Amino acid sequence: MRSIWNGNISFGLVSIPIKIYPATEDHSISFRQIHTRDGGRIRYRKVCELEDSPVESSEIGRAYEDADGALVPITDDDLAALPLPTTHTLEIEAFISAAEIDPLQMGDAYYLGTTGAAGAKPYTLLREALKRSEKVAIAKYAHRGRERLGMLRVVGDTIALHRLLWPDEVREPAGVAPKEKVTVKPAELDLADTLMETLGEVDLNDLRDEYHEALEELVAAKVSGATPIAEPGERPAGAQVVDLMAALKESVRSAKEARGEEGGEAGEGAEGEAGEEEEGAEATVHELRGRKKAPAKKAASAKKAPAGEKKTAAKRSETKAAKAAKSAEEPAGKAAGKKQTGTKKAAAKKTTAKKQTGKRGTRTAS
């Protein structure tokens, strides 16, 4: 592996001689530009404007163009003479938690190797210190004509360098987010959580660049003189107004089927909650079918009541009827009793009157 930078890591008063190696590689298939009419190769040549002739790479330097368009030559010696400690040194500034690094700042990755046995001990010391602290090192270094920011972390038994953008090189996302006011319902979030759990995790090593594979097959077919027949892929549909809840449910069902699980009615309860929240408003949420079946469930539960409970209920009904009849008979009995008492009293009065009349007649005769 060819190194792209030689220098030292400055770790306080400890100096570690290192070389920087690219940690990644590009497997993309590169194409050449051709003239479509005759298939001729299109080439770019570096031409001097004054001489109007091609120039070799060894004759090419650099210059700064000022506001007036004038070119100010800048030589390698000029750059080497800059009063920067990072010209050939990777200067460690601090040690922080990796969580403090914004992923937007992450750039190219490199491996750091040592240049000889003398650097083995301090290299290992820094590596083990990073491991034990569970932190990363922030460093500055000069590369390709500018000072850069980097992050050092441990990868296996190697120290890796990630180039970082300076904070002011990361743009603010102003005006990018949707401006429309949208309310996300708790039920929709529940279904989204279910979908995330269903999709689960993935081993990145299992992912393949399918486009690259298809491109290789196309090139191989062209080289062999065959006419490749490729099935056109599905074109993504344009923006449509869709039922978000239905789309989430279908996504959960499809994800479960893809994993060999039963699709079922995913998120049925969540959809019911959304049905309540969306009532009376413009909505794209379907009503919960289970909510319509609720009365039927109650009826079914009543039909399935135990026989003992039915007998008890019937007995209670008979007792109530008997009490009602008894309470109805009581007033009638009282009324009959009063009538009989009145009749007896009247008869007794008549008898007393007759007796008194007889006594009066006896007295008159004497």
Side-chain angles (χ1 to χ4, degrees), residues 192-305:
D193 290 341
T194 303
L195 178 58
M196 292 169 65
E197 292 175 1
T198 304
L199 292 175
E201 300 177 356
V202 67
D203 185 352
L204 294 180
N205 294 321
D206 295 336
L207 300 180
R208 299 181 295 107
D209 186 349
E210 297 180 8
Y211 180 82
H212 179 78
E213 294 176 356
L215 195 56
E216 283 184 330
E217 293 178 2
L218 172 63
V219 172
K222 287 278 190 176
V223 171
S224 63
T227 302
I229 301 176
E231 297 182 0
E234 296 183 2
R235 293 186 176 181
Q240 299 178 359
V241 178
V242 298
D243 185 335
L244 182 57
M245 294 295 293
L248 286 170
K249 283 191 64 179
E250 180 63 21
S251 300
V252 172
R253 187 190 63 79
S254 300
K256 286 186 175 180
E257 288 182 354
R259 288 179 172 269
E261 302 175 10
E262 295 182 1
E265 293 294 329
E268 189 171 338
E271 189 180 359
E273 294 175 9
E276 289 181 345
E277 293 174 358
E278 295 289 338
E279 187 176 354
E282 294 184 3
T284 57
V285 181
H286 295 304
E287 288 186 0
L288 177 62
R289 287 175 291 179
R291 198 170 284 278
K292 292 181 180 179
K293 293 180 181 178
K297 290 182 180 178
K298 291 181 180 178
S301 61
K303 288 181 181 178
K304 293 182 180 179

